[in-house]
Amino acid sequence: MSYFSYKNGVLHAENVALTAISQQFGSPTYVYSKAALTANFLAYANACKQHSRQADGALICYSVKSNSNLAVLQLLNQLGSGFDIVSGGELLRVIAAGGDPSKVIFSGVGKSREEMRLALSHDILCFNVESVPELHRLNEVAGAMGKRAAISLRVNPDVDAKTHPYISTGLKENKFGVAYDEALSCYRTAAALPYIDVAGIDCHIGSQLLDDAPMLEALDKLIELVDQLASEGIHLHHLDIGGGIGITYDDEQPVVIGDYLGRLFARINAWREEKYQGAPIKVMFEPGRSIVGNAGILLTEVQYLKHSEAKNFAVVDAAMNDLMRPALYEAWHGVQTVSQRSTAPQVYDVVGPVCESGDWLARCRSLAIEAGDLLALMSAGAYGMTMSSNYNTRGRAAEVMVDGTQVHLIRQRENPADLFTLESLISP
Ligand SMILES: *Cc1c(COP(=O)(O)O)cnc(C)c1O
Protein backbone atom coordinates (compact mmCIF):
# COMPACT_ATOMS: atom_id res chain seq x y z
CA MET A 1 0.00 0.00 0.00
CA SER A 2 1.24 3.47 -0.84
CA TYR A 3 0.74 6.36 1.51
CA PHE A 4 1.32 8.78 -1.37
CA SER A 5 -1.57 8.57 -3.81
CA TYR A 6 -3.76 10.68 -6.10
CA LYS A 7 -7.12 11.97 -4.91
CA ASN A 8 -9.11 14.01 -7.46
CA GLY A 9 -6.01 14.31 -9.64
CA VAL A 10 -3.80 15.71 -6.86
CA LEU A 11 -1.00 13.75 -5.18
CA HIS A 12 -1.53 13.43 -1.42
CA ALA A 13 0.57 12.32 1.52
CA GLU A 14 -1.99 10.34 3.52
CA ASN A 15 -4.96 12.76 3.51
CA VAL A 16 -3.07 15.98 2.85
CA ALA A 17 -2.65 17.44 -0.65
CA LEU A 18 0.98 18.18 -1.49
CA THR A 19 -0.22 21.47 -3.01
CA ALA A 20 -1.36 22.53 0.48
CA ILE A 21 2.02 21.58 1.95
CA SER A 22 3.83 23.65 -0.65
CA GLN A 23 1.55 26.63 0.02
CA GLN A 24 2.16 26.44 3.75
CA PHE A 25 5.82 25.46 3.91
CA GLY A 26 7.28 26.29 0.49
CA SER A 27 9.65 24.06 -1.47
CA PRO A 28 11.82 22.07 -1.59
CA THR A 29 10.33 20.18 1.34
CA TYR A 30 10.74 16.61 2.53
CA VAL A 31 7.37 15.08 3.35
CA TYR A 32 7.14 11.94 5.49
CA SER A 33 4.12 9.76 6.22
CA LYS A 34 3.74 8.68 9.83
CA ALA A 35 1.49 5.78 8.82
CA ALA A 36 4.08 4.51 6.32
CA LEU A 37 6.89 4.71 8.88
CA THR A 38 4.75 2.89 11.42
CA ALA A 39 3.72 0.15 9.00
CA ASN A 40 7.32 -0.42 7.89
CA PHE A 41 8.60 -0.68 11.45
CA LEU A 42 5.74 -3.00 12.43
CA ALA A 43 6.59 -5.33 9.54
CA TYR A 44 9.83 -6.06 11.43
CA ALA A 45 8.36 -5.95 14.93
CA ASN A 46 5.44 -8.24 14.14
CA ALA A 47 7.65 -10.78 12.37
CA CYS A 48 9.98 -10.79 15.40
CA LYS A 49 7.03 -11.31 17.71
CA GLN A 50 5.74 -14.14 15.56
CA HIS A 51 8.98 -16.07 15.06
CA SER A 52 11.15 -15.31 18.05
CA ARG A 53 11.16 -17.91 20.82
CA GLN A 54 10.84 -15.50 23.74
CA ALA A 55 9.21 -12.13 24.37
CA ASP A 56 12.43 -10.11 24.25
CA GLY A 57 14.23 -12.44 21.86
CA ALA A 58 14.79 -9.75 19.25
CA LEU A 59 15.71 -6.07 19.04
CA ILE A 60 15.27 -3.86 16.00
CA CYS A 61 17.90 -1.12 16.02
CA TYR A 62 16.83 1.45 13.45
CA SER A 63 19.82 2.79 11.51
CA VAL A 64 19.82 6.47 12.46
CA LYS A 65 21.96 7.59 9.52
CA SER A 66 19.22 6.78 7.02
CA ASN A 67 16.99 9.53 8.45
CA SER A 68 17.91 11.14 11.73
CA ASN A 69 15.18 13.76 12.17
CA LEU A 70 14.22 13.92 15.86
CA ALA A 71 10.52 13.38 15.14
CA VAL A 72 11.32 10.25 13.11
CA LEU A 73 13.45 8.92 15.99
CA GLN A 74 10.74 9.89 18.48
CA LEU A 75 8.10 7.91 16.57
CA LEU A 76 10.31 4.84 16.21
CA ASN A 77 11.22 5.02 19.89
CA GLN A 78 7.52 5.10 20.78
CA LEU A 79 7.05 2.00 18.62
CA GLY A 80 9.73 0.22 20.67
CA SER A 81 12.73 0.57 18.38
CA GLY A 82 16.34 0.55 19.46
CA PHE A 83 18.93 2.49 17.45
CA ASP A 84 22.08 1.78 15.48
CA ILE A 85 24.31 4.85 15.52
CA VAL A 86 27.55 5.68 13.71
CA SER A 87 28.64 8.80 15.61
CA GLY A 88 28.45 10.56 18.94
CA GLY A 89 26.20 13.12 17.30
CA GLU A 90 23.68 10.42 16.46
CA LEU A 91 23.68 9.27 20.09
CA LEU A 92 22.85 12.83 21.20
CA ARG A 93 20.03 12.88 18.66
CA VAL A 94 18.60 9.61 19.97
CA ILE A 95 18.70 10.95 23.52
CA ALA A 96 17.16 14.29 22.44
CA ALA A 97 14.33 12.33 20.80
CA GLY A 98 13.63 10.47 24.06
CA GLY A 99 15.38 7.25 23.05
CA ASP A 100 16.86 4.86 25.57
CA PRO A 101 20.68 4.48 25.37
CA SER A 102 20.35 0.95 26.72
CA LYS A 103 18.88 0.06 23.31
CA VAL A 104 21.66 1.74 21.32
CA ILE A 105 24.42 -0.03 19.42
CA PHE A 106 27.37 1.88 18.01
CA SER A 107 28.72 0.92 14.57
CA GLY A 108 31.44 2.50 12.43
CA VAL A 109 35.12 2.05 11.60
CA GLY A 110 36.43 5.28 13.11
CA LYS A 111 35.06 5.82 16.60
CA SER A 112 37.03 8.54 18.40
CA ARG A 113 38.00 8.41 22.10
CA GLU A 114 35.55 11.19 22.76
CA GLU A 115 32.71 9.28 21.10
CA MET A 116 33.59 6.18 23.12
CA ARG A 117 33.52 8.19 26.36
CA LEU A 118 30.17 9.71 25.47
CA ALA A 119 28.66 6.30 24.65
CA LEU A 120 30.12 4.69 27.80
CA SER A 121 28.85 7.52 29.99
CA HIS A 122 25.34 6.81 28.68
CA ASP A 123 25.73 3.02 29.14
CA ILE A 124 24.82 2.03 25.60
CA LEU A 125 23.95 -1.58 24.88
CA CYS A 126 26.92 -2.50 22.70
CA PHE A 127 29.83 -1.29 20.59
CA ASN A 128 30.02 -2.96 17.19
CA VAL A 129 33.81 -3.07 16.97
CA GLU A 130 35.38 -3.11 13.52
CA SER A 131 39.11 -3.66 14.18
CA VAL A 132 41.67 -4.83 16.76
CA PRO A 133 43.11 -1.33 17.31
CA GLU A 134 39.57 -0.14 18.07
CA LEU A 135 39.23 -2.95 20.62
CA HIS A 136 42.39 -1.80 22.40
CA ARG A 137 41.33 1.83 22.37
CA LEU A 138 37.90 0.95 23.76
CA ASN A 139 39.47 -1.18 26.51
CA GLU A 140 41.72 1.72 27.46
CA VAL A 141 38.94 4.34 27.45
CA ALA A 142 36.56 2.11 29.43
CA GLY A 143 39.29 1.26 31.96
CA ALA A 144 40.09 4.92 32.53
CA MET A 145 36.41 5.54 33.28
CA GLY A 146 36.16 2.53 35.58
CA LYS A 147 33.65 0.94 33.22
CA ARG A 148 33.35 -2.15 31.07
CA ALA A 149 32.35 -1.96 27.43
CA ALA A 150 30.05 -4.60 25.92
CA ILE A 151 31.19 -5.45 22.42
CA SER A 152 30.22 -7.30 19.32
CA LEU A 153 32.69 -7.83 16.50
CA ARG A 154 31.55 -6.81 13.07
CA VAL A 155 32.61 -9.75 11.00
CA ASN A 156 33.04 -9.44 7.29
CA PRO A 157 31.50 -12.68 6.02
CA ASP A 158 32.88 -12.19 2.50
CA VAL A 159 29.58 -12.70 0.72
CA ASP A 160 28.58 -10.79 -2.38
CA ALA A 161 25.50 -8.69 -1.70
CA LYS A 162 25.12 -8.08 -5.46
CA THR A 163 24.31 -4.42 -5.03
CA HIS A 164 25.96 -1.14 -6.08
CA PRO A 165 29.71 -1.18 -5.27
CA TYR A 166 29.36 1.99 -3.13
CA ILE A 167 26.77 0.31 -0.92
CA SER A 168 28.24 -3.19 -0.80
CA THR A 169 30.13 -3.70 2.44
CA GLY A 170 30.54 -7.44 3.03
CA LEU A 171 33.31 -8.33 0.58
CA LYS A 172 36.96 -8.88 1.54
CA GLU A 173 38.09 -5.67 -0.14
CA ASN A 174 35.74 -3.42 1.87
CA LYS A 175 36.98 -1.29 4.76
CA PHE A 176 34.29 -2.62 7.08
CA GLY A 177 34.57 -5.20 9.85
CA VAL A 178 37.20 -7.80 10.68
CA ALA A 179 38.05 -10.46 8.12
CA TYR A 180 36.23 -13.73 8.61
CA ASP A 181 39.48 -15.68 8.95
CA GLU A 182 40.73 -13.33 11.65
CA ALA A 183 37.51 -13.21 13.66
CA LEU A 184 38.39 -16.04 16.06
CA SER A 185 41.71 -14.55 17.02
CA CYS A 186 40.08 -11.11 17.46
CA TYR A 187 37.52 -12.64 19.81
CA ARG A 188 40.30 -14.30 21.81
CA THR A 189 42.01 -10.92 22.08
CA ALA A 190 38.74 -9.29 23.17
CA ALA A 191 37.99 -11.97 25.75
CA ALA A 192 41.40 -11.38 27.36
CA LEU A 193 40.97 -7.60 27.72
CA PRO A 194 40.06 -6.52 31.25
CA TYR A 195 37.50 -3.82 30.45
CA ILE A 196 35.76 -5.55 27.55
CA ASP A 197 32.72 -7.82 27.78
CA VAL A 198 32.22 -10.00 24.74
CA ALA A 199 28.48 -9.83 24.07
CA GLY A 200 27.72 -10.57 20.46
CA ILE A 201 28.53 -10.83 16.80
CA ASP A 202 27.32 -8.69 13.93
CA CYS A 203 27.58 -8.12 10.22
CA HIS A 204 26.11 -5.76 7.67
CA ILE A 205 26.83 -6.83 4.13
CA GLY A 206 25.40 -4.00 2.07
CA SER A 207 22.38 -1.94 1.26
CA GLN A 208 19.42 -2.10 -1.13
CA LEU A 209 19.56 -5.92 -1.19
CA LEU A 210 16.56 -7.31 -3.01
CA ASP A 211 17.12 -10.97 -2.23
CA ASP A 212 17.72 -12.44 1.22
CA ALA A 213 19.99 -15.25 0.00
CA PRO A 214 23.20 -13.28 0.77
CA MET A 215 21.95 -12.48 4.29
CA LEU A 216 21.12 -16.12 4.93
CA GLU A 217 24.55 -17.07 3.62
CA ALA A 218 26.10 -14.52 5.99
CA LEU A 219 23.96 -15.90 8.83
CA ASP A 220 25.36 -19.39 8.26
CA LYS A 221 28.88 -18.02 8.46
CA LEU A 222 28.12 -16.19 11.72
CA ILE A 223 26.54 -19.33 13.17
CA GLU A 224 29.70 -21.28 12.39
CA LEU A 225 31.76 -18.71 14.31
CA VAL A 226 29.37 -18.67 17.27
CA ASP A 227 29.76 -22.46 17.54
CA GLN A 228 33.56 -22.29 17.33
CA LEU A 229 33.61 -19.60 20.02
CA ALA A 230 31.29 -21.60 22.26
CA SER A 231 33.65 -24.57 22.00
CA GLU A 232 36.38 -22.27 23.37
CA GLY A 233 34.16 -21.10 26.22
CA ILE A 234 33.28 -17.73 24.67
CA HIS A 235 29.49 -17.58 24.77
CA LEU A 236 27.69 -14.87 22.82
CA HIS A 237 24.37 -13.38 23.91
CA HIS A 238 23.31 -11.83 20.65
CA LEU A 239 23.59 -12.15 16.92
CA ASP A 240 23.05 -9.03 14.81
CA ILE A 241 22.48 -9.57 11.10
CA GLY A 242 22.59 -5.86 10.17
CA GLY A 243 20.27 -3.97 7.85
CA GLY A 244 20.30 -3.75 4.11
CA ILE A 245 16.91 -4.88 2.83
CA GLY A 246 16.04 -2.88 -0.27
CA ILE A 247 12.93 -1.02 -1.36
CA THR A 248 11.07 -0.45 -4.61
CA TYR A 249 12.37 2.67 -6.32
CA ASP A 250 11.27 1.69 -9.83
CA ASP A 251 10.21 -1.90 -10.49
CA GLU A 252 12.46 -3.74 -8.03
CA GLN A 253 10.76 -6.47 -6.03
CA PRO A 254 12.54 -6.74 -2.69
CA VAL A 255 11.99 -9.70 -0.43
CA VAL A 256 8.98 -9.27 1.87
CA ILE A 257 10.25 -8.41 5.38
CA GLY A 258 8.05 -11.02 7.09
CA ASP A 259 9.24 -13.76 4.70
CA TYR A 260 12.90 -12.88 5.23
CA LEU A 261 12.57 -12.82 9.01
CA GLY A 262 10.58 -16.06 8.88
CA ARG A 263 13.44 -17.84 7.06
CA LEU A 264 16.06 -16.26 9.29
CA PHE A 265 14.35 -17.25 12.55
CA ALA A 266 13.60 -20.75 11.21
CA ARG A 267 17.34 -21.25 10.66
CA ILE A 268 18.28 -19.74 14.03
CA ASN A 269 15.63 -21.61 16.01
CA ALA A 270 16.58 -24.96 14.42
CA TRP A 271 20.26 -24.29 15.16
CA ARG A 272 19.63 -23.40 18.82
CA GLU A 273 17.47 -26.51 19.20
CA GLU A 274 20.09 -28.78 17.65
CA LYS A 275 23.20 -27.38 19.36
CA TYR A 276 22.10 -25.60 22.54
CA GLN A 277 19.03 -27.49 23.82
CA GLY A 278 16.90 -24.58 22.63
CA ALA A 279 18.79 -21.96 24.68
CA PRO A 280 17.98 -18.70 22.89
CA ILE A 281 20.28 -16.10 21.42
CA LYS A 282 18.99 -12.56 21.04
CA VAL A 283 18.55 -11.61 17.36
CA MET A 284 19.15 -8.03 16.29
CA PHE A 285 18.54 -6.09 13.08
CA GLU A 286 19.76 -2.70 11.85
CA PRO A 287 17.27 -1.65 9.15
CA GLY A 288 17.30 1.86 7.76
CA ARG A 289 16.16 2.22 4.16
CA SER A 290 13.41 -0.41 4.43
CA ILE A 291 11.81 1.60 7.24
CA VAL A 292 12.07 5.17 5.96
CA GLY A 293 12.86 4.99 2.23
CA ASN A 294 9.33 4.76 0.90
CA ALA A 295 7.88 6.75 3.78
CA GLY A 296 9.16 10.04 2.35
CA ILE A 297 9.18 12.17 -0.80
CA LEU A 298 10.92 15.38 -1.79
CA LEU A 299 8.49 18.04 -2.96
CA THR A 300 9.92 20.52 -5.45
CA GLU A 301 8.66 23.23 -7.80
CA VAL A 302 9.54 23.58 -11.47
CA GLN A 303 11.27 26.92 -11.99
CA TYR A 304 11.97 26.89 -15.71
CA LEU A 305 11.55 24.64 -18.70
CA LYS A 306 14.53 24.77 -21.07
CA HIS A 307 14.19 23.27 -24.51
CA SER A 308 17.42 22.73 -26.40
CA GLU A 309 18.15 20.81 -29.56
CA ALA A 310 19.48 17.80 -27.70
CA LYS A 311 17.40 17.79 -24.54
CA ASN A 312 14.58 19.27 -22.55
CA PHE A 313 15.37 20.33 -19.00
CA ALA A 314 13.01 20.92 -16.14
CA VAL A 315 14.97 23.13 -13.75
CA VAL A 316 13.52 22.63 -10.27
CA ASP A 317 14.19 24.27 -6.90
CA ALA A 318 15.61 21.08 -5.35
CA ALA A 319 19.17 20.10 -6.18
CA MET A 320 21.95 17.60 -5.55
CA ASN A 321 22.62 19.28 -2.20
CA ASP A 322 19.09 18.29 -1.13
CA LEU A 323 19.05 14.79 -2.63
CA MET A 324 22.51 13.50 -3.40
CA ARG A 325 21.71 9.91 -4.34
CA PRO A 326 21.38 10.46 -8.12
CA ALA A 327 24.70 12.34 -8.31
CA LEU A 328 26.46 9.90 -5.98
CA TYR A 329 25.18 6.51 -7.14
CA GLU A 330 23.25 7.36 -10.31
CA ALA A 331 20.25 6.37 -8.21
CA TRP A 332 16.82 6.34 -9.80
CA HIS A 333 13.94 8.14 -8.09
CA GLY A 334 10.40 8.17 -9.45
CA VAL A 335 9.11 11.60 -10.45
CA GLN A 336 5.40 12.31 -10.16
CA THR A 337 3.56 15.47 -11.06
CA VAL A 338 1.57 16.65 -8.06
CA SER A 339 -1.33 17.92 -10.22
CA GLN A 340 -2.03 15.89 -13.32
CA ARG A 341 -2.32 17.71 -16.65
CA SER A 342 -4.03 16.43 -19.76
CA THR A 343 -1.49 18.00 -22.16
CA ALA A 344 0.92 15.78 -24.09
CA PRO A 345 4.00 14.79 -22.07
CA GLN A 346 7.56 15.54 -23.17
CA VAL A 347 10.80 13.91 -22.13
CA TYR A 348 12.81 15.91 -19.57
CA ASP A 349 15.92 15.73 -17.46
CA VAL A 350 14.97 17.06 -14.04
CA VAL A 351 17.90 19.18 -12.83
CA GLY A 352 18.68 21.55 -9.97
CA PRO A 353 20.20 25.04 -9.84
CA VAL A 354 23.62 23.92 -8.54
CA CYS A 355 26.66 24.66 -10.70
CA GLU A 356 27.65 21.06 -11.47
CA SER A 357 26.76 18.88 -14.43
CA GLY A 358 26.24 16.14 -11.86
CA ASP A 359 23.36 18.13 -10.45
CA TRP A 360 20.52 16.09 -11.87
CA LEU A 361 17.72 14.39 -10.00
CA ALA A 362 16.13 12.32 -12.76
CA ARG A 363 16.85 11.72 -16.43
CA CYS A 364 14.68 11.11 -19.48
CA ARG A 365 11.29 11.26 -17.79
CA SER A 366 8.09 11.71 -19.67
CA LEU A 367 6.25 14.56 -17.93
CA ALA A 368 3.34 16.85 -18.75
CA ILE A 369 4.50 19.97 -16.90
CA GLU A 370 4.76 23.74 -16.99
CA ALA A 371 6.85 26.19 -14.99
CA GLY A 372 5.36 26.59 -11.51
CA ASP A 373 4.17 22.97 -11.31
CA LEU A 374 5.05 20.81 -8.34
CA LEU A 375 6.89 17.51 -8.64
CA ALA A 376 7.38 14.77 -6.09
CA LEU A 377 10.66 12.86 -6.09
CA MET A 378 9.54 9.55 -4.74
CA SER A 379 11.20 7.15 -2.28
CA ALA A 380 13.34 9.93 -0.83
CA GLY A 381 12.88 9.18 2.88
CA ALA A 382 16.21 7.37 3.33
CA TYR A 383 19.63 8.93 2.69
CA GLY A 384 17.89 12.06 1.43
CA MET A 385 17.93 14.76 4.09
CA THR A 386 20.76 13.07 6.02
CA MET A 387 23.10 13.32 3.04
CA SER A 388 22.15 16.90 2.22
CA SER A 389 24.66 19.72 2.30
CA ASN A 390 24.84 23.48 2.01
CA TYR A 391 26.74 23.47 -1.28
CA ASN A 392 26.18 26.73 -3.16
CA THR A 393 25.10 28.26 0.20
CA ARG A 394 21.71 26.69 -0.19
CA GLY A 395 19.74 26.31 3.03
CA ARG A 396 18.56 22.79 3.69
CA ALA A 397 14.96 21.89 2.86
CA ALA A 398 12.15 21.95 5.41
CA GLU A 399 10.84 18.61 6.68
CA VAL A 400 7.24 17.84 7.56
CA MET A 401 5.51 14.75 8.94
CA VAL A 402 1.96 14.03 7.83
CA ASP A 403 -0.35 12.17 10.19
CA GLY A 404 -3.76 11.62 8.60
CA THR A 405 -5.09 15.12 7.93
CA GLN A 406 -2.45 16.85 10.09
CA VAL A 407 0.92 18.24 9.03
CA HIS A 408 3.70 18.80 11.56
CA LEU A 409 6.71 20.92 10.69
CA ILE A 410 9.60 18.80 12.01
CA ARG A 411 12.49 20.89 10.68
CA GLN A 412 12.40 24.50 9.62
CA ARG A 413 13.85 25.49 6.30
CA GLU A 414 17.40 26.74 6.83
CA ASN A 415 17.84 30.40 6.37
CA PRO A 416 20.97 31.33 4.34
CA ALA A 417 22.13 33.71 7.10
CA ASP A 418 22.19 30.71 9.51
CA LEU A 419 24.75 29.06 7.27
CA PHE A 420 27.60 31.43 8.03
CA THR A 421 26.96 32.23 11.70
CA LEU A 422 29.90 30.02 12.72
CA GLU A 423 32.28 31.82 10.35
CA SER A 424 34.36 34.87 11.23
CA LEU A 425 35.98 37.69 9.37
CA ILE A 426 39.65 38.20 10.16
CA SER A 427 40.25 41.47 12.00
CA PRO A 428 42.66 43.80 10.19
C1 LIG B 1 23.94 2.03 6.96
C2 LIG B 1 23.97 0.87 7.88
C3 LIG B 1 22.80 0.15 8.14
C4 LIG B 1 21.48 0.42 7.46
O1 LIG B 1 21.45 -0.03 6.13
P1 LIG B 1 20.11 0.01 5.26
O2 LIG B 1 20.53 -0.47 3.93
O3 LIG B 1 19.64 1.42 5.24
O4 LIG B 1 19.12 -0.89 5.92
C5 LIG B 1 22.88 -0.86 9.08
N1 LIG B 1 24.05 -1.17 9.72
C6 LIG B 1 25.18 -0.49 9.46
C7 LIG B 1 26.41 -0.87 10.19
C8 LIG B 1 25.18 0.54 8.53
O5 LIG B 1 26.32 1.19 8.29
Side-chain angles (χ1 to χ4, degrees):
M1 153 164 195
S2 175
Y3 297 88
F4 298 92
S5 60
Y6 287 96
K7 296 181 171 74
N8 303 319
V10 177
L11 190 59
H12 282 57
E14 300 191 23
N15 294 319
V16 180
L18 294 177
T19 44
I21 292 178
S22 147
Q23 272 159 22
Q24 193 177 351
F25 301 102
S27 67
T29 294
Y30 275 100
V31 182
Y32 308 121
S33 154
K34 182 181 174 187
L37 276 165
T38 304
N40 294 340
F41 179 79
L42 290 181
Y44 279 93
N46 291 337
C48 287
K49 208 182 283 174
Q50 187 186 342
H51 300 292
S52 156
R53 282 285 168 80
Q54 349 124 260
D56 67 342
L59 180 64
I60 301 150
C61 290
Y62 167 69
S63 173
V64 174
K65 75 177 190 290
S66 61
N67 185 322
S68 59
N69 183 285
L70 293 187
V72 171
L73 303 182
Q74 175 190 29
L75 171 65
L76 292 169
N77 179 54
Q78 285 162 353
L79 294 170
S81 190
F83 298 96
D84 175 34
I85 60 166
V86 292
S87 72
E90 287 189 348
L91 175 56
L92 296 175
R93 275 186 179 274
V94 168
I95 293 168
D100 180 355
S102 74
K103 287 194 200 168
V104 168
I105 56 177
F106 193 171
S107 301
V109 293
K111 300 173 192 80
S112 69
R113 287 192 177 82
E114 206 175 319
E115 288 176 317
M116 288 174 173
R117 274 192 287 271
L118 179 72
L120 285 164
S121 72
H122 287 286
D123 297 315
I124 65 161
L125 179 61
C126 188
F127 288 83
N128 287 357
V129 170
E130 304 217 13
S131 67
V132 173
E134 181 188 337
L135 209 48
H136 287 292
R137 175 183 280 188
L138 183 60
N139 179 59
E140 195 186 294
V141 172
M145 292 173 76
K147 295 216 173 216
R148 302 175 65 84
I151 68 108
S152 159
L153 283 186
R154 177 170 177 176
V155 173
N156 186 336
D158 195 26
V159 300
D160 186 355
K162 300 189 176 61
T163 184
H164 190 285
Y166 282 14
I167 50 179
S168 172
T169 54
L171 280 171
K172 268 188 188 147
E173 56 265 38
N174 291 120
K175 71 176 176 181
F176 299 102
V178 300
Y180 191 80
D181 299 337
E182 288 158 26
L184 276 179
S185 88
C186 294
Y187 269 108
R188 288 182 198 123
T189 305
L193 291 171
Y195 303 105
I196 295 289
D197 285 330
V198 175
I201 188 164
D202 68 282
C203 72
H204 172 69
I205 60 173
S207 201
Q208 186 54 13
L209 272 68
L210 299 174
D211 182 9
D212 59 3
M215 337 272 285
L216 296 171
E217 196 188 325
L219 173 66
D220 281 338
K221 297 191 94 172
L222 295 195
I223 283 176
E224 215 174 288
L225 276 178
V226 174
D227 287 344
Q228 282 170 337
L229 289 166
S231 73
E232 296 190 17
I234 301 175
H235 298 282
L236 302 186
H237 308 293
H238 76 248
L239 186 158
D240 170 2
I241 198 71
I245 293 292
I247 61 168
T248 303
Y249 285 99
D250 184 4
D251 54 5
E252 304 91 334
Q253 294 193 319
V255 59
V256 174
I257 302 296
D259 296 351
Y260 159 51
L261 265 63
R263 286 189 276 271
L264 189 102
F265 276 105
R267 173 77 179 98
I268 292 173
N269 293 340
W271 162 58
R272 300 305 292 181
E273 210 52 65
E274 185 195 323
K275 294 261 175 69
Y276 301 88
Q277 294 82 47
I281 188 164
K282 191 160 186 153
V283 182
M284 303 197 339
F285 302 92
E286 303 169 353
R289 189 188 313 267
S290 52
I291 289 180
V292 283
N294 270 327
I297 60 121
L298 176 58
L299 182 61
T300 183
E301 189 190 88
V302 177
Q303 302 300 301
Y304 302 100
L305 296 181
K306 269 181 85 169
H307 301 276
S308 75
E309 219 171 288
K311 272 201 183 259
N312 298 317
F313 294 100
V315 183
V316 299
D317 62 4
M320 64 185 287
N321 75 296
D322 299 301
L323 180 63
M324 199 186 179
R325 299 186 67 257
L328 187 61
Y329 316 121
E330 302 198 325
W332 192 99
H333 284 270
V335 179
Q336 296 196 13
T337 51
V338 169
S339 301
Q340 291 169 315
R341 288 185 179 276
S342 51
T343 48
Q346 284 189 279
V347 175
Y348 291 95
D349 278 11
V350 179
V351 301
V354 163
C355 305
E356 296 279 346
S357 297
D359 182 26
W360 57 274
L361 298 168
R363 282 174 170 162
C364 297
R365 302 305 169 83
S366 182
L367 298 165
I369 47 173
E370 292 189 9
D373 283 4
L374 295 171
L375 298 177
L377 288 148
M378 308 306 290
S379 316
Y383 307 104
M385 186 64 174
T386 50
M387 281 189 163
S388 66
S389 77
N390 294 120
Y391 189 39
N392 281 208
T393 306
R394 289 170 49 86
R396 283 188 182 76
E399 290 177 291
V400 302
M401 173 96 71
V402 172
D403 178 10
T405 56
Q406 282 188 303
V407 188
H408 303 279
L409 178 64
I410 60 171
R411 193 179 204 271
Q412 293 176 34
R413 182 176 309 288
E414 267 174 3
N415 171 342
D418 296 339
L419 305 186
F420 47 83
T421 52
L422 299 178
E423 298 170 29
S424 329
L425 298 171
I426 296 169
S427 10

